[in-house]
């Protein structure tokens, strides 16, 4: 079986072993972060290494143990690097989500709002915290309910996407005298059992540019 980089487990282990032995030969092996042999075991091995009869086998075992330790330390360093990189990527994409100019909603399969970004509050006329008490259907006009229900039904498969037009109810506080038409793009997330919905006002709602 091949890994994500196209190499087999045997090839990966051979590459790791070569790297470990090279670092040991140069005296630049990483500091140990994994488990070490206890002192009693090391003392026993060194005593046997003095014995001419057992010395070759013991020295071979010691070399194998040292090499294996370096391999573990290399893997530990790589794991730390990967975790740091993932954390940076997560923070980057979270920032993109939160600061996006369009309203983003993370919605459960039941239509309830799980999370929203900063732009969602002004669009729907409430805070991000208040949005958690609503379902998407409550944020739209009743006439848009059928389009919403059809969209959620069409998003059963992970990665599936759909687009539709909907309307937001009139809001006296926003000076709206008629429902606001929005373009909705929805996609079921592959890694989670939820749906990402992006809301943007359609062009005929926008004031003319000067």
């Amino acid at each position: 079986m091949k890994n994500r980089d196209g190499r087999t487990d045997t090839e990966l282990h051979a590459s790791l072993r070569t790297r470990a032995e090279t670092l040991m030969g140069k005296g630049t092996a990483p500091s140990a972060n994994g488990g070490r042999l206890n002192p009693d075991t090391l003392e026993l091995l060194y005593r046997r290494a003095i014995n001419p009869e057992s010395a070759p086998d013991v020295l071979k075992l010691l070399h194998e143990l040292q090499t294996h330790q370096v391999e573990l330390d290399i893997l530990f360093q790589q794991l730390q690097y990967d975790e740091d990189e993932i954390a940076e990527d997560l923070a980057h994409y979270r920032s993109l989500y939160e600061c996006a100019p369009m309203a983003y909603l993370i919605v459960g399969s039941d239509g309830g709002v799980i999370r929203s970004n900063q732009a969602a509050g002004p669009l729907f006329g409430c805070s991000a915290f208040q949005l958690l008490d609503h379902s998407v259907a409550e944020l739209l006009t009743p006439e848009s309910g059928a389009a919403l229900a059809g969209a959620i039904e069409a998003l059963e498969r992970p990665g599936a996407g759909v687009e539709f037009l909907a309307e937001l109810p009139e809001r006296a506080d926003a000076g709206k005298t008629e429902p606001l038409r929005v373009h909705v793009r929805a996609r079921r997330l592959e890694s989670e059992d939820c749906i990402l919905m992006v809301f943007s006002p359609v062009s005929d709602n926008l004031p003319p540019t000067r």
Side-chain angles (χ1 to χ4, degrees):
M1 180 180 295
K2 292 188 176 182
N3 292 273
R4 287 181 298 178
D5 61 358
R7 293 186 293 177
T8 64
D9 289 341
T10 301
E11 291 171 335
L12 287 172
H13 183 264
S15 175
L16 180 62
R17 174 55 58 98
T18 299
R19 185 179 174 189
E21 291 179 339
T22 299
L23 292 174
M24 290 173 62
K26 294 180 178 179
T28 56
S31 58
N33 292 286
R36 285 184 174 275
L37 292 176
N38 63 59
D40 292 339
T41 303
L42 284 174
E43 182 180 353
L44 175 61
L45 289 172
Y46 282 121
R47 283 205 309 267
R48 288 181 176 273
I50 300 174
N51 186 334
E53 294 182 359
S54 59
D57 290 337
V58 172
L59 291 175
K60 181 179 179 180
L61 176 59
L62 281 171
H63 176 76
E64 182 66 23
L65 289 173
Q66 290 173 339
T67 305
H68 185 60
Q69 178 65 60
V70 174
E71 290 175 344
L72 290 176
D73 293 334
I74 291 173
L75 291 174
F76 182 79
Q77 283 188 338
Q78 184 63 49
L79 178 61
Q80 284 188 313
Y81 174 81
D82 290 344
E83 288 181 344
D84 291 343
E85 192 174 51
I86 290 172
E88 289 179 3
D89 287 345
L90 180 60
H92 173 68
Y93 286 113
R94 180 173 291 156
S95 177
L96 291 178
Y97 170 86
E98 293 292 348
C99 300
M102 292 180 290
Y104 284 12
L105 295 182
I106 302 294
V107 180
S109 297
D110 60 354
V113 177
I114 299 174
R115 185 173 179 178
S116 63
N117 69 343
Q118 297 176 11
L123 179 67
F124 295 109
C126 56
S127 67
F129 180 77
Q130 291 172 323
L131 283 172
L132 300 180
D133 296 329
H134 294 278
S135 67
V136 179
E138 294 173 329
L139 302 174
L140 307 178
T141 61
E143 293 76 15
S144 299
L148 174 65
I152 293 180
E153 184 178 352
L155 295 173
E156 294 182 354
R157 178 174 51 84
V162 66
E163 300 184 22
F164 62 96
L165 291 176
E167 292 183 337
L168 306 187
E170 302 177 21
R171 285 208 341 256
D173 61 313
K176 291 165 52 180
T177 58
E178 60 183 18
L180 175 69
R181 298 179 66 227
V182 291
H183 179 226
V184 186
R185 284 168 288 183
R187 180 173 298 275
R188 179 170 290 277
L189 302 181
E190 297 186 10
S191 57
E192 304 176 48
D193 186 23
C194 52
I195 299 167
L196 170 64
M197 290 188 172
V198 182
F199 295 78
S200 55
V202 295
S203 57
D204 57 7
N205 291 125
L206 299 177
T209 57
R210 295 183 181 179

